[in-house]
Amino acid sequence: RRLEWPDPELPRLQDRRLNAGGVASPCINICRLDPTGRLCEGCLRTIDEIGMWSTASDAERRAILKAVAERRALLTPQANLRR
């Protein structure tokens, strides 16, 4: 199934993604790389962002989430209609 953003399952997953730092991981347990090998198709993070998540500060995590939101906006047709 192809996910649309926002995916209706995300609120259910939110509780499981919170960590001690309070910044929720964008992981939605669809962990596979896009054909270019640069982005996770589930959470839209790069390999580097995924790798650093567990040791990232809250500020770094928020920066990653901002980058993910920007990528999602570029990839979501509805977002492009609003521009």
Side-chain angles (χ1 to χ4, degrees), residues 26-79:
C27 179
I28 57 170
N29 296 322
I30 300 175
C31 305
R32 63 180 173 257
L33 294 178
D34 68 359
T36 67
R38 295 186 315 199
L39 290 177
C40 173
E41 290 183 352
C43 68
L44 300 180
R45 287 182 290 173
T46 66
I47 291 297
D48 289 338
E49 291 167 343
I50 293 167
M52 71 178 284
W53 187 266
S54 64
T55 59
S57 68
D58 284 356
E60 290 169 323
R61 289 177 181 187
R62 283 190 289 276
I64 291 170
L65 293 178
K66 182 180 180 205
V68 166
E70 291 168 356
R71 289 180 199 124
R72 187 177 305 126
L74 291 173
L75 297 173
T76 304
Q78 296 87 348

Side-chain angles (χ1 to χ4, degrees), residues 4-32:
E4 294 181 17
W5 297 98
D7 189 298
E9 293 181 30
L10 290 180
R12 181 181 60 79
L13 295 172
Q14 183 73 18
D15 292 337
R16 291 194 320 219
R17 295 182 291 135
L18 284 177
N19 55 51
V23 178
S25 168
C27 179
I28 57 170
N29 296 322
I30 300 175
C31 305
R32 63 180 173 257

